[in-house]
Amino acid sequence: MKNTLTAMALALSATAVFAEDKVTIEFAYPYSHLFDVTYEAMMPAFQAAHPNIEVKFRATYESYEDATNTVLREAVAGNLPDVSMQGLNRQAPLVDKGIAQSLAPFIAAEADFETEGYHEAMLSLSTFDDEVYGLPFSISLPVGYYNMDILREGGITELPTTWDEVISACKTMKANGVDNPIFWGWNITGNWFVQALLWSQDKAIVEDGRVTMDSPEALVALEQMQEIFTECEMQNLEWKAALSSFSAGDVGMMFWSTSALGAVERSQGDFELVTGPFPGLDGAPMGLPAGGNAAMLTSTSEDPAVREAAWTWLKFITSGEGAAQVAMTTGYMPPNKAANEIILADFYEQNPNKQTAVDQLPLLRDWLAYPGDNGLAITQVIYDGIERIVTGDATDMQELQEELVEEIADLLPNG
């Protein structure tokens, strides 16, 4: 009996110590409809490997813009999460304001960090002044989604490679009784598709601290959007409604991020879905912006155990094992060679629709944020301008360009 009581006492003591050692960290991420299933798939392995770490999930951010605004407010209130997922184009403001913290000390302590396989090109998207401030979690590129049943009914068997071919396919579908042949993702976060049209011409939207909306390439982009919207008679759908309409089989072609592929497949109606490369203005695009997000350390805790736990979580979700779940549950590409080359060795061969974005990786360019404290306001100015094209309120693209340039200039630090 005495031995039994002693054993029980030791067990209770160990349990108490374990409970005291339990560390809770807080984590926030965007786009619940895309990523909820990803984190659900990750958690069992993480909990098994790190039973002493509890990850408390905060309310999800609606978008990357919302993620930045939320963190900026939380920084003022002193209520930041320990780890925050931020859009690749929204990292710089958080670094500049000292909200995101350098990961260099943690990386230096990892003897095998380099062998974990992070793509240098992707890691560079989170590198500022030669220090890493975020680990890329998911990378996306724009692609085309095609309802092949609708296309074949109109006699279309080849995927379009240029926007002229897309417009021709629209007209064929309209003549064949399709009410809404296309959704083109003008309203995707961060003016991403505007940047896609500029990078297609090998032109960055920000150069030397100025926004290049006054460039000839920007006018070409505006005119191309107008042609797509008007010639295809595109309906002005809110983006979630557009994804639902395509999944239901009501839209013939959708141009959006590869990120939504998992969500589309899970809700897909009875039709053949095929993805294809993002069309170009005249031939293949010369470049495309890298979408996606990175995990950033934003903890204000001075407890070394909390900070170490936050790093453990951040490292796990971007590692080979964690990143593989990104590919399996979404359409994002893992930014980790271990995931792509080892864990997912046969995955892309068996999932050709997810291979499309991987094939476009040589086109990867930076997704650029606008300079200064008014970067989000500039995003909104361009968003509002493009919506005027969609609704038909703006018909003269040169005039619209001049208006946008003037409004943006007022928001830039250098005027």
Side-chain angles (χ1 to χ4, degrees), residues 5-22 52:
L5 289 173
T6 301
M8 289 177 63
L10 288 171
L12 288 171
S13 175
T15 302
V17 170
F18 182 82
E20 289 174 5
D21 289 345
K22 190 91 170 182
N52 64 315

Side-chain angles (χ1 to χ4, degrees), residues 338-406:
N340 282 320
E341 297 174 4
I342 302 172
I343 301 173
L344 301 174
D346 301 321
F347 177 77
Y348 286 111
E349 184 177 339
Q350 297 165 5
N351 295 271
N353 279 337
K354 295 185 177 181
Q355 177 71 39
T356 300
V358 177
D359 292 340
Q360 293 184 131
L361 276 175
L363 301 178
L364 188 146
R365 303 289 189 274
D366 284 353
W367 184 15
L368 298 166
Y370 308 118
D373 292 339
N374 294 320
L376 289 174
I378 294 171
T379 301
Q380 190 62 46
V381 165
I382 297 175
Y383 178 100
D384 292 342
I386 306 310
E387 186 168 29
R388 290 173 57 198
I389 306 176
V390 178
T391 60
D393 291 340
T395 56
D396 186 325
M397 293 302 99
Q398 190 163 354
E399 182 179 300
L400 176 62
Q401 182 184 34
E402 292 169 359
E403 292 175 10
L404 292 175
V405 169
E406 184 176 343

Side-chain angles (χ1 to χ4, degrees), residues 16 23 28 87 90 98 140 163 184 303 323 385:
V23 179
R90 298 297 178 195
S140 65
W163 297 116
W184 194 89
D303 185 344

Side-chain angles (χ1 to χ4, degrees), residues 87-290:
L88 293 177
N89 68 326
R90 298 297 178 195
Q91 298 174 93
L94 303 187
V95 173
D96 292 342
K97 293 181 181 297
I99 296 171
Q101 297 155 46
S102 172
L103 300 179
F106 297 96
I107 293 172
E110 296 285 337
D112 62 346
F113 183 81
E114 292 299 328
T115 62
E116 280 294 300
Y118 294 93
H119 282 282
E120 187 61 37
M122 295 179 180
L123 199 62
S124 70
L125 297 172
S126 300
T127 301
F128 302 86
D129 295 327
D130 297 324
E131 289 201 26
V132 175
Y133 281 83
L135 292 184
F137 173 68
S138 56
I139 302 293
S140 65
L141 285 167
V143 297
Y145 292 73
Y146 300 94
N147 182 323
M148 295 307 297
D149 292 6
I150 290 179
L151 265 61
R152 279 194 289 263
E153 285 173 5
I156 303 169
T157 57
E158 298 291 328
L159 300 184
T161 59
T162 67
W163 297 116
D164 284 346
E165 292 176 4
V166 166
I167 291 168
S168 176
C170 282
K171 292 179 177 179
T172 297
M173 284 185 277
K174 289 290 287 187
N176 203 40
V178 178
D179 291 333
N180 194 16
I182 187 175
F183 175 72
W184 194 89
W186 71 272
N187 46 8
I188 202 166
T189 183
N191 307 144
W192 200 45
F193 270 28
V194 177
Q195 294 199 31
L197 289 181
L198 283 167
W199 275 127
S200 291
Q201 304 169 74
D202 204 26
K203 182 69 172 179
I205 201 167
V206 177
E207 293 177 346
D208 300 323
R210 57 181 296 275
V211 180
T212 62
M213 283 302 293
D214 59 348
S215 65
E217 291 89 351
L219 181 58
V220 168
L222 293 173
E223 290 173 341
Q224 183 63 80
M225 283 185 280
Q226 183 187 37
E227 190 174 3
I228 292 170
F229 302 154
T230 56
E231 294 293 321
C232 288
E233 300 179 45
M234 191 183 85
Q235 297 175 17
N236 185 23
L237 297 177
E238 186 268 336
W239 65 272
K240 287 184 180 178
L243 295 183
S244 295
S245 293
F246 180 81
S247 296
D250 297 330
V251 177
M253 299 180 291
M254 179 175 72
F255 297 93
W256 194 256
S257 165
T258 186
S259 62
L261 181 56
V264 169
E265 289 177 333
R266 285 189 291 273
S267 58
Q268 180 184 341
D270 185 19
F271 64 89
E272 182 185 356
L273 167 65
V274 171
T275 63
F278 198 67
L281 292 136
D282 183 16
M286 299 174 71
L288 292 171

